[in-house]
Amino acid sequence: MSVRYQRKQYWNEPTMNWWEKAYLPEVLRGLFITTGVFLRNMGKWVTGRRGAVTTYYPEERRPDFAPRNRGKHVLTQRPDGSVQCIACNMCATVCPAKVIEIEPGFDANDPAHPKYPVRFEIDYSRCVFCGMCVEACPEDAIRMAPDVPNLVSDDRYNMWLTMDEMMTWRPQADVAKPYPPKPTLPVLPLVRDARGAHGVAGGVPSKH
Ligand code: SF4
Ligand code: SF4
């Protein structure tokens, strides 16, 4: 069963003006643009020049994606297999399409990385694959790999890329980065008490 999430509302959410709300003029404008492109392309073919070629996706896929195309996100892992992300939310903040949703967790027994994502998802129905999330990440926790995501669906909620998929699809780690070992004894009783008040209920969930 697919889970439906409430979209966050941001201060810069676009609003429609009266012209856009009228709807029909915008439909006619879209048809005008489409017809213009169609006629231009047709003109190229009938005059012996090469016009645009239609690829019947998803049955067909273009073989000529650029080798540097980065079309799918990966969440990197620490040497112990836990997620490298520290749930700082910088990627979600910088994302121009506002498609990253992160639910942070808190682990008082890992003082070097007490925050981590319990849920990390990207709505691929709206991602523009700009790579700004990768640039903004201070931890090299999110990367984009050469691939074309399989976006075919009749339900946009099936287009959410989950944390599991981002970690297991093509696992990547930053082997050069040193990580302090976890302490063997429980630490930060005060912080743990604070977690009881504000953090994840029912104990510390395991990191992925
Ligand atoms: S690639 Fe761009 S649009 Fe997609 S999640 Fe990253 S920042 Fe957002
Ligand atoms: S992926 Fe990077 S920028 Fe995004 S929340 Fe995790 S650590 Fe922060």
Side-chain angles (χ1 to χ4, degrees):
M1 189 181 73
S2 62
V3 183
R4 290 174 186 269
Y5 298 106
Q6 189 71 35
R7 269 199 66 204
K8 290 179 187 171
Q9 296 293 313
Y10 294 90
W11 63 272
N12 58 349
E13 280 281 306
T15 51
M16 288 194 285
N17 57 32
W18 68 269
W19 179 261
E20 290 164 335
K21 283 181 186 165
Y23 192 62
L24 199 54
E26 289 298 302
V27 171
L28 293 175
R29 193 163 73 94
L31 284 173
F32 182 74
I33 293 171
T34 307
T35 308
V37 171
F38 170 74
L39 291 175
R40 256 199 322 278
N41 194 40
M42 181 74 83
K44 283 185 182 170
W45 282 111
V46 298
T47 54
R49 291 171 295 162
R50 184 180 157 82
V53 180
T54 302
T55 301
Y56 294 95
Y57 182 83
E59 289 80 13
E60 294 176 7
R61 290 207 181 191
R62 289 180 60 158
D64 57 346
F65 276 107
R68 290 186 178 180
N69 165 56
R70 297 288 182 270
K72 199 165 174 184
H73 293 76
V74 175
L75 283 179
T76 57
Q77 302 175 16
R78 300 202 175 102
D80 64 1
S82 62
V83 66
Q84 188 153 291
C85 172
I86 55 170
C88 68
N89 229 37
M90 285 180 71
C91 53
T93 305
V94 78
C95 174
K98 305 296 179 203
V99 297
I100 302 178
E101 287 200 8
I102 302 166
E103 186 183 329
F106 189 83
D107 183 359
N109 288 318
D110 187 359
H113 317 97
K115 270 181 80 183
Y116 66 96
V118 177
R119 181 168 74 88
F120 190 120
E121 292 176 345
I122 301 179
D123 181 359
Y124 263 12
S125 70
R126 295 185 292 129
C127 173
V128 295
F129 302 98
C130 62
M132 288 180 71
C133 48
V134 180
E135 296 295 324
C137 180
E139 289 289 314
D140 186 22
I142 186 166
R143 298 177 182 170
M144 292 179 79
D147 195 25
V148 183
N150 188 14
L151 289 176
V152 186
S153 176
D154 57 3
D155 183 346
R156 68 179 60 189
Y157 290 97
N158 291 337
M159 296 181 181
W160 286 71
L161 194 66
T162 63
M163 183 162 148
D164 274 349
E165 186 171 354
M166 278 185 273
M167 289 185 70
T168 55
W169 164 72
R170 199 177 288 180
Q172 295 188 27
D174 184 355
V175 290
K177 201 166 183 178
Y179 290 101
K182 273 191 176 185
T184 48
L185 294 172
V187 292
L188 300 177
L190 289 176
V191 178
R192 187 184 294 160
D193 290 342
R195 189 203 65 197
H198 305 293
V200 181
V204 179
S206 63
K207 294 181 181 179
H208 291 257

